[in-house]
PDB file of all heavy atoms in Angstrom:
ATOM      1  N   PHE A1492      92.493  66.197  79.252  1.00  0.00           N
ATOM      2  CA  PHE A1492      92.194  65.572  80.528  1.00  0.00           C
ATOM      3  C   PHE A1492      90.725  65.392  80.851  1.00  0.00           C
ATOM      4  O   PHE A1492      90.348  64.625  81.705  1.00  0.00           O
ATOM      5  CB  PHE A1492      92.906  66.328  81.673  1.00  0.00           C
ATOM      6  CG  PHE A1492      94.399  65.936  81.722  1.00  0.00           C
ATOM      7  CD1 PHE A1492      95.374  66.569  80.925  1.00  0.00           C
ATOM      8  CD2 PHE A1492      94.828  64.970  82.626  1.00  0.00           C
ATOM      9  CE1 PHE A1492      96.689  66.298  81.015  1.00  0.00           C
ATOM     10  CE2 PHE A1492      96.225  64.668  82.769  1.00  0.00           C
ATOM     11  CZ  PHE A1492      97.066  65.253  81.873  1.00  0.00           C
ATOM     12  N   ASP A1493      89.890  66.122  80.178  1.00  0.00           N
ATOM     13  CA  ASP A1493      88.448  66.070  80.312  1.00  0.00           C
ATOM     14  C   ASP A1493      87.943  64.818  79.673  1.00  0.00           C
ATOM     15  O   ASP A1493      86.760  64.417  79.932  1.00  0.00           O
ATOM     16  CB  ASP A1493      87.778  67.267  79.773  1.00  0.00           C
ATOM     17  CG  ASP A1493      86.321  67.370  80.199  1.00  0.00           C
ATOM     18  OD1 ASP A1493      86.036  67.033  81.433  1.00  0.00           O
ATOM     19  OD2 ASP A1493      85.455  67.837  79.454  1.00  0.00           O
ATOM     20  N   LEU A1494      88.724  64.069  78.893  1.00  0.00           N
ATOM     21  CA  LEU A1494      88.358  62.759  78.382  1.00  0.00           C
ATOM     22  C   LEU A1494      88.155  61.741  79.510  1.00  0.00           C
ATOM     23  O   LEU A1494      87.362  60.792  79.323  1.00  0.00           O
ATOM     24  CB  LEU A1494      89.391  62.218  77.391  1.00  0.00           C
ATOM     25  CG  LEU A1494      89.562  63.028  76.106  1.00  0.00           C
ATOM     26  CD1 LEU A1494      90.768  62.511  75.366  1.00  0.00           C
ATOM     27  CD2 LEU A1494      88.363  63.006  75.249  1.00  0.00           C
ATOM     28  N   VAL A1495      88.755  61.982  80.669  1.00  0.00           N
ATOM     29  CA  VAL A1495      88.549  61.149  81.818  1.00  0.00           C
ATOM     30  C   VAL A1495      87.435  61.793  82.658  1.00  0.00           C
ATOM     31  O   VAL A1495      87.534  63.013  82.968  1.00  0.00           O
ATOM     32  CB  VAL A1495      89.814  60.980  82.650  1.00  0.00           C
ATOM     33  CG1 VAL A1495      89.477  60.163  83.906  1.00  0.00           C
ATOM     34  CG2 VAL A1495      90.949  60.289  81.800  1.00  0.00           C
ATOM     35  N   PRO A1496      86.332  61.121  83.019  1.00  0.00           N
ATOM     36  CA  PRO A1496      85.211  61.779  83.753  1.00  0.00           C
ATOM     37  C   PRO A1496      85.694  62.273  85.116  1.00  0.00           C
ATOM     38  O   PRO A1496      86.557  61.672  85.695  1.00  0.00           O
ATOM     39  CB  PRO A1496      84.228  60.634  83.898  1.00  0.00           C
ATOM     40  CG  PRO A1496      84.533  59.681  82.873  1.00  0.00           C
ATOM     41  CD  PRO A1496      86.052  59.756  82.591  1.00  0.00           C
ATOM     42  N   GLY A1497      85.073  63.380  85.495  1.00  0.00           N
ATOM     43  CA  GLY A1497      85.291  63.906  86.867  1.00  0.00           C
ATOM     44  C   GLY A1497      86.303  65.015  86.952  1.00  0.00           C
ATOM     45  O   GLY A1497      86.698  65.423  88.066  1.00  0.00           O
ATOM     46  N   LEU A1498      86.758  65.619  85.777  1.00  0.00           N
ATOM     47  CA  LEU A1498      87.715  66.716  85.832  1.00  0.00           C
ATOM     48  C   LEU A1498      87.068  67.926  86.516  1.00  0.00           C
ATOM     49  O   LEU A1498      85.968  68.383  86.136  1.00  0.00           O
ATOM     50  CB  LEU A1498      88.149  67.112  84.417  1.00  0.00           C
ATOM     51  CG  LEU A1498      89.159  68.208  84.350  1.00  0.00           C
ATOM     52  CD1 LEU A1498      90.526  67.851  84.999  1.00  0.00           C
ATOM     53  CD2 LEU A1498      89.399  68.636  82.849  1.00  0.00           C
ATOM     54  N   GLU A1499      87.748  68.487  87.619  1.00  0.00           N
ATOM     55  CA  GLU A1499      87.199  69.614  88.332  1.00  0.00           C
ATOM     56  C   GLU A1499      87.930  70.907  87.884  1.00  0.00           C
ATOM     57  O   GLU A1499      87.177  71.870  87.733  1.00  0.00           O
ATOM     58  CB  GLU A1499      87.348  69.431  89.841  1.00  0.00           C
ATOM     59  CG  GLU A1499      86.512  68.298  90.394  1.00  0.00           C
ATOM     60  CD  GLU A1499      86.540  68.240  91.911  1.00  0.00           C
ATOM     61  OE1 GLU A1499      87.536  68.660  92.490  1.00  0.00           O
ATOM     62  OE2 GLU A1499      85.498  67.782  92.549  1.00  0.00           O
ATOM     63  N   TYR A1500      89.167  70.871  87.690  1.00  0.00           N
ATOM     64  CA  TYR A1500      89.818  72.089  87.203  1.00  0.00           C
ATOM     65  C   TYR A1500      91.167  71.777  86.599  1.00  0.00           C
ATOM     66  O   TYR A1500      91.686  70.720  86.812  1.00  0.00           O
ATOM     67  CB  TYR A1500      89.966  73.184  88.213  1.00  0.00           C
ATOM     68  CG  TYR A1500      90.935  72.934  89.322  1.00  0.00           C
ATOM     69  CD1 TYR A1500      92.358  73.069  89.099  1.00  0.00           C
ATOM     70  CD2 TYR A1500      90.568  72.578  90.597  1.00  0.00           C
ATOM     71  CE1 TYR A1500      93.235  72.906  90.091  1.00  0.00           C
ATOM     72  CE2 TYR A1500      91.474  72.424  91.628  1.00  0.00           C
ATOM     73  CZ  TYR A1500      92.804  72.564  91.392  1.00  0.00           C
ATOM     74  OH  TYR A1500      93.778  72.344  92.309  1.00  0.00           O
ATOM     75  N   CYS A1501      91.629  72.623  85.706  1.00  0.00           N
ATOM     76  CA  CYS A1501      92.907  72.525  85.007  1.00  0.00           C
ATOM     77  C   CYS A1501      93.570  73.909  85.084  1.00  0.00           C
ATOM     78  O   CYS A1501      93.050  74.815  84.425  1.00  0.00           O
ATOM     79  CB  CYS A1501      92.733  72.074  83.577  1.00  0.00           C
ATOM     80  SG  CYS A1501      94.173  72.122  82.506  1.00  0.00           S
ATOM     81  N   ASP A1502      94.688  73.992  85.830  1.00  0.00           N
ATOM     82  CA  ASP A1502      95.379  75.262  85.991  1.00  0.00           C
ATOM     83  C   ASP A1502      96.722  75.236  85.293  1.00  0.00           C
ATOM     84  O   ASP A1502      97.554  74.579  85.683  1.00  0.00           O
ATOM     85  CB  ASP A1502      95.551  75.617  87.485  1.00  0.00           C
ATOM     86  CG  ASP A1502      96.177  76.913  87.707  1.00  0.00           C
ATOM     87  OD1 ASP A1502      96.109  77.811  86.827  1.00  0.00           O
ATOM     88  OD2 ASP A1502      96.761  77.139  88.802  1.00  0.00           O
ATOM     89  N   VAL A1503      96.823  75.925  84.125  1.00  0.00           N
ATOM     90  CA  VAL A1503      98.055  75.956  83.361  1.00  0.00           C
ATOM     91  C   VAL A1503      98.973  77.129  83.775  1.00  0.00           C
ATOM     92  O   VAL A1503      98.481  78.251  83.907  1.00  0.00           O
ATOM     93  CB  VAL A1503      97.748  76.044  81.832  1.00  0.00           C
ATOM     94  CG1 VAL A1503      99.027  76.285  81.090  1.00  0.00           C
ATOM     95  CG2 VAL A1503      96.998  74.749  81.437  1.00  0.00           C
ATOM     96  N   GLN A1504     100.216  76.764  83.963  1.00  0.00           N
ATOM     97  CA  GLN A1504     101.237  77.801  84.355  1.00  0.00           C
ATOM     98  C   GLN A1504     102.436  77.700  83.380  1.00  0.00           C
ATOM     99  O   GLN A1504     102.545  76.684  82.768  1.00  0.00           O
ATOM    100  CB  GLN A1504     101.674  77.622  85.823  1.00  0.00           C
ATOM    101  CG  GLN A1504     100.526  77.656  86.833  1.00  0.00           C
ATOM    102  CD  GLN A1504     100.995  77.300  88.237  1.00  0.00           C
ATOM    103  OE1 GLN A1504     102.154  77.292  88.496  1.00  0.00           O
ATOM    104  NE2 GLN A1504      99.987  77.088  89.117  1.00  0.00           N
ATOM    105  N   ARG A1505     103.171  78.701  83.351  1.00  0.00           N
ATOM    106  CA  ARG A1505     104.340  78.722  82.464  1.00  0.00           C
ATOM    107  C   ARG A1505     105.560  79.380  83.148  1.00  0.00           C
ATOM    108  O   ARG A1505     105.484  80.423  83.833  1.00  0.00           O
ATOM    109  CB  ARG A1505     104.000  79.539  81.155  1.00  0.00           C
ATOM    110  CG  ARG A1505     105.193  79.620  80.202  1.00  0.00           C
ATOM    111  CD  ARG A1505     104.816  80.317  78.886  1.00  0.00           C
ATOM    112  NE  ARG A1505     103.755  79.615  78.176  1.00  0.00           N
ATOM    113  CZ  ARG A1505     103.319  80.148  77.026  1.00  0.00           C
ATOM    114  NH1 ARG A1505     103.870  81.180  76.449  1.00  0.00           N
ATOM    115  NH2 ARG A1505     102.291  79.530  76.399  1.00  0.00           N
ATOM    116  N   ASP A1506     106.658  78.705  83.053  1.00  0.00           N
ATOM    117  CA  ASP A1506     107.896  79.216  83.548  1.00  0.00           C
ATOM    118  C   ASP A1506     108.549  80.214  82.576  1.00  0.00           C
ATOM    119  O   ASP A1506     108.916  79.839  81.461  1.00  0.00           O
ATOM    120  CB  ASP A1506     108.880  78.034  83.822  1.00  0.00           C
ATOM    121  CG  ASP A1506     110.183  78.462  84.558  1.00  0.00           C
ATOM    122  OD1 ASP A1506     110.537  79.674  84.356  1.00  0.00           O
ATOM    123  OD2 ASP A1506     110.782  77.690  85.222  1.00  0.00           O
ATOM    124  N   PRO A1507     108.611  81.531  82.891  1.00  0.00           N
ATOM    125  CA  PRO A1507     109.075  82.501  81.930  1.00  0.00           C
ATOM    126  C   PRO A1507     110.585  82.351  81.580  1.00  0.00           C
ATOM    127  O   PRO A1507     111.061  82.796  80.580  1.00  0.00           O
ATOM    128  CB  PRO A1507     108.842  83.833  82.673  1.00  0.00           C
ATOM    129  CG  PRO A1507     108.881  83.437  84.157  1.00  0.00           C
ATOM    130  CD  PRO A1507     108.266  82.076  84.202  1.00  0.00           C
ATOM    131  N   HIS A1508     111.341  81.567  82.450  1.00  0.00           N
ATOM    132  CA  HIS A1508     112.740  81.416  82.130  1.00  0.00           C
ATOM    133  C   HIS A1508     113.007  80.241  81.239  1.00  0.00           C
ATOM    134  O   HIS A1508     113.894  80.286  80.352  1.00  0.00           O
ATOM    135  CB  HIS A1508     113.489  81.172  83.472  1.00  0.00           C
ATOM    136  CG  HIS A1508     113.314  82.328  84.453  1.00  0.00           C
ATOM    137  ND1 HIS A1508     113.844  83.575  84.279  1.00  0.00           N
ATOM    138  CD2 HIS A1508     112.643  82.368  85.639  1.00  0.00           C
ATOM    139  CE1 HIS A1508     113.464  84.346  85.283  1.00  0.00           C
ATOM    140  NE2 HIS A1508     112.741  83.666  86.099  1.00  0.00           N
ATOM    141  N   THR A1509     112.259  79.139  81.248  1.00  0.00           N
ATOM    142  CA  THR A1509     112.504  77.955  80.482  1.00  0.00           C
ATOM    143  C   THR A1509     111.445  77.771  79.418  1.00  0.00           C
ATOM    144  O   THR A1509     111.694  76.979  78.493  1.00  0.00           O
ATOM    145  CB  THR A1509     112.458  76.675  81.405  1.00  0.00           C
ATOM    146  OG1 THR A1509     111.217  76.558  81.942  1.00  0.00           O
ATOM    147  CG2 THR A1509     113.488  76.830  82.538  1.00  0.00           C
ATOM    148  N   ASN A1510     110.323  78.429  79.463  1.00  0.00           N
ATOM    149  CA  ASN A1510     109.209  78.339  78.537  1.00  0.00           C
ATOM    150  C   ASN A1510     108.613  76.942  78.550  1.00  0.00           C
ATOM    151  O   ASN A1510     107.964  76.581  77.584  1.00  0.00           O
ATOM    152  CB  ASN A1510     109.640  78.676  77.129  1.00  0.00           C
ATOM    153  CG  ASN A1510     108.497  79.160  76.274  1.00  0.00           C
ATOM    154  OD1 ASN A1510     107.596  79.817  76.743  1.00  0.00           O
ATOM    155  ND2 ASN A1510     108.508  78.744  74.995  1.00  0.00           N
ATOM    156  N   SER A1511     108.892  76.148  79.629  1.00  0.00           N
ATOM    157  CA  SER A1511     108.294  74.842  79.672  1.00  0.00           C
ATOM    158  C   SER A1511     106.858  74.920  80.168  1.00  0.00           C
ATOM    159  O   SER A1511     106.450  75.939  80.621  1.00  0.00           O
ATOM    160  CB  SER A1511     109.117  73.927  80.638  1.00  0.00           C
ATOM    161  OG  SER A1511     109.172  74.532  81.950  1.00  0.00           O
ATOM    162  N   GLY A1512     106.154  73.819  80.040  1.00  0.00           N
ATOM    163  CA  GLY A1512     104.756  73.802  80.452  1.00  0.00           C
ATOM    164  C   GLY A1512     104.543  73.119  81.813  1.00  0.00           C
ATOM    165  O   GLY A1512     105.228  72.127  82.115  1.00  0.00           O
ATOM    166  N   TYR A1513     103.645  73.685  82.618  1.00  0.00           N
ATOM    167  CA  TYR A1513     103.331  73.094  83.904  1.00  0.00           C
ATOM    168  C   TYR A1513     101.856  73.296  84.194  1.00  0.00           C
ATOM    169  O   TYR A1513     101.330  74.361  83.915  1.00  0.00           O
ATOM    170  CB  TYR A1513     104.180  73.698  85.014  1.00  0.00           C
ATOM    171  CG  TYR A1513     103.803  73.185  86.367  1.00  0.00           C
ATOM    172  CD1 TYR A1513     104.277  71.910  86.829  1.00  0.00           C
ATOM    173  CD2 TYR A1513     102.993  73.971  87.263  1.00  0.00           C
ATOM    174  CE1 TYR A1513     103.962  71.426  88.088  1.00  0.00           C
ATOM    175  CE2 TYR A1513     102.673  73.429  88.522  1.00  0.00           C
ATOM    176  CZ  TYR A1513     103.133  72.184  88.881  1.00  0.00           C
ATOM    177  OH  TYR A1513     102.764  71.721  90.140  1.00  0.00           O
ATOM    178  N   ALA A1514     101.209  72.305  84.681  1.00  0.00           N
ATOM    179  CA  ALA A1514      99.739  72.390  84.989  1.00  0.00           C
ATOM    180  C   ALA A1514      99.404  71.562  86.207  1.00  0.00           C
ATOM    181  O   ALA A1514     100.017  70.544  86.497  1.00  0.00           O
ATOM    182  CB  ALA A1514      98.884  72.021  83.777  1.00  0.00           C
ATOM    183  N   VAL A1515      98.333  72.036  86.910  1.00  0.00           N
ATOM    184  CA  VAL A1515      97.799  71.223  88.018  1.00  0.00           C
ATOM    185  C   VAL A1515      96.349  70.840  87.589  1.00  0.00           C
ATOM    186  O   VAL A1515      95.539  71.623  87.190  1.00  0.00           O
ATOM    187  CB  VAL A1515      97.789  72.109  89.339  1.00  0.00           C
ATOM    188  CG1 VAL A1515      97.023  71.267  90.383  1.00  0.00           C
ATOM    189  CG2 VAL A1515      99.143  72.465  89.776  1.00  0.00           C
ATOM    190  N   ILE A1516      96.177  69.484  87.698  1.00  0.00           N
ATOM    191  CA  ILE A1516      94.890  68.895  87.284  1.00  0.00           C
ATOM    192  C   ILE A1516      94.199  68.361  88.587  1.00  0.00           C
ATOM    193  O   ILE A1516      94.892  67.679  89.336  1.00  0.00           O
ATOM    194  CB  ILE A1516      94.999  67.850  86.269  1.00  0.00           C
ATOM    195  CG1 ILE A1516      95.874  68.302  85.055  1.00  0.00           C
ATOM    196  CG2 ILE A1516      93.712  67.225  85.869  1.00  0.00           C
ATOM    197  CD1 ILE A1516      95.129  69.254  84.185  1.00  0.00           C
ATOM    198  N   GLN A1517      92.952  68.609  88.718  1.00  0.00           N
ATOM    199  CA  GLN A1517      92.234  67.898  89.850  1.00  0.00           C
ATOM    200  C   GLN A1517      90.936  67.283  89.427  1.00  0.00           C
ATOM    201  O   GLN A1517      90.167  67.866  88.588  1.00  0.00           O
ATOM    202  CB  GLN A1517      91.936  68.909  91.005  1.00  0.00           C
ATOM    203  CG  GLN A1517      91.167  68.273  92.163  1.00  0.00           C
ATOM    204  CD  GLN A1517      91.280  69.089  93.447  1.00  0.00           C
ATOM    205  OE1 GLN A1517      92.344  69.557  93.830  1.00  0.00           O
ATOM    206  NE2 GLN A1517      90.183  69.283  94.097  1.00  0.00           N
ATOM    207  N   TYR A1518      90.718  66.055  89.974  1.00  0.00           N
ATOM    208  CA  TYR A1518      89.552  65.243  89.605  1.00  0.00           C
ATOM    209  C   TYR A1518      88.671  65.171  90.825  1.00  0.00           C
ATOM    210  O   TYR A1518      89.131  65.431  91.925  1.00  0.00           O
ATOM    211  CB  TYR A1518      89.886  63.850  89.122  1.00  0.00           C
ATOM    212  CG  TYR A1518      90.400  63.867  87.681  1.00  0.00           C
ATOM    213  CD1 TYR A1518      91.796  63.893  87.500  1.00  0.00           C
ATOM    214  CD2 TYR A1518      89.603  63.875  86.566  1.00  0.00           C
ATOM    215  CE1 TYR A1518      92.342  63.991  86.223  1.00  0.00           C
ATOM    216  CE2 TYR A1518      90.128  63.863  85.288  1.00  0.00           C
ATOM    217  CZ  TYR A1518      91.474  63.893  85.069  1.00  0.00           C
ATOM    218  OH  TYR A1518      91.982  63.896  83.888  1.00  0.00           O
ATOM    219  N   SER A1519      87.422  64.786  90.690  1.00  0.00           N
ATOM    220  CA  SER A1519      86.510  64.684  91.802  1.00  0.00           C
ATOM    221  C   SER A1519      86.797  63.410  92.667  1.00  0.00           C
ATOM    222  O   SER A1519      86.365  63.368  93.778  1.00  0.00           O
ATOM    223  CB  SER A1519      85.022  64.583  91.322  1.00  0.00           C
ATOM    224  OG  SER A1519      84.864  63.483  90.391  1.00  0.00           O
TER     225      SER A1519
END
């Protein structure tokens, strides 16, 4: 996601029950 200019943060989370991926991305 940093390939797009203006990335402020990337917060990766994981569901322990499903093992799926989830993340919150924020740009400027």
Side-chain angles (χ1 to χ4, degrees):
F1492 279 83
D1493 194 37
L1494 292 173
V1495 177
L1498 181 63
E1499 291 188 334
Y1500 71 77
C1501 169
D1502 182 22
V1503 170
Q1504 302 173 13
R1505 180 179 299 183
D1506 186 332
H1508 303 292
T1509 64
N1510 204 38
S1511 58
Y1513 177 77
V1515 174
I1516 306 288
Q1517 180 161 312
Y1518 288 94
S1519 58

